[in-house]
Amino acid sequence: MSTLEEHIDVGVPVDRAWDDLHRVENYPRFVAGVRDAHTEAGGRARLDVEADGETRQFAAEVSDRGDERVMEWRTTGAPELTGSFSLQPIDGNHTRVQARLEYDPDTIRETFGGPRGFAQANAIERLVRSDLEHFKEYVELER
């Protein structure tokens, strides 16, 4: 398994960033490839993701450690992915958002296509960084 960690500082209070992160239906606005997303009962989410010219549906279980401001998730089918978002207040109007993704490089390539090895790790890092930057734009401009 490979692990990727990226973070970004956003110009909103931690409560607002936390609430916006939980609005799964808005993920298409800031997560690359997500065409549709919605929550389901029992802490589940379903996402339609377009990759390599194909749309695939993914289900995930989502759990919170709200007192710590950590949202954890894992896919419930292939590909097996796990991750988390941790939010830390910097001050009253700024929050650090840290994304963590654990993945098997071969499974990612089989599911989504793309390069192998170091090039793949760089591509995933760029994608996660871009999604975090889009989240920053989304939360800072939303209200």
Side-chain angles (χ1 to χ4, degrees):
M1 284 294 233
S2 293
T3 301
L4 170 68
E5 290 186 7
E6 287 285 330
H7 74 271
I8 195 163
D9 296 341
V10 298
V12 298
V14 68
D15 289 338
R16 182 159 147 208
W18 183 251
D19 289 345
D20 286 341
L21 187 62
H22 282 78
R23 290 194 179 106
V24 173
E25 66 277 4
N26 288 332
Y27 280 23
R29 297 176 73 182
F30 58 86
V31 179
V34 174
R35 299 297 171 240
D36 186 45
H38 58 276
T39 56
E40 297 180 339
R44 296 183 183 270
R46 190 159 306 274
L47 293 88
D48 293 335
V49 179
E50 185 178 322
D52 204 26
E54 237 179 276
T55 300
R56 295 176 178 90
Q57 193 171 78
F58 296 96
E61 291 180 346
V62 179
S63 61
D64 284 341
R65 294 193 323 248
D67 56 329
E68 298 174 42
R69 297 288 193 204
V70 176
M71 173 197 216
E72 297 174 323
W73 59 269
R74 70 174 187 85
T75 56
T76 58
E80 290 185 29
L81 303 168
T82 60
S84 65
F85 295 100
S86 302
L87 279 66
Q88 301 167 338
I90 296 170
D91 60 32
N93 291 310
H94 297 89
T95 302
R96 174 157 294 156
V97 179
Q98 175 149 351
R100 178 182 174 94
L101 173 64
E102 294 179 20
Y103 65 96
D104 175 59
D106 292 334
T107 301
I108 293 292
R109 188 175 190 302
E110 291 167 11
T111 304
F112 299 109
R116 288 187 176 273
F118 188 69
Q120 179 188 43
N122 284 340
I124 292 170
E125 184 177 318
R126 281 191 311 272
L127 182 64
V128 170
R129 167 56 62 194
S130 175
D131 288 348
L132 285 173
E133 289 171 359
H134 288 122
F135 179 73
K136 175 181 175 74
E137 292 170 10
Y138 167 72
V139 298
E140 289 179 353
L141 297 175
E142 200 44 34
R143 297 171 204 195

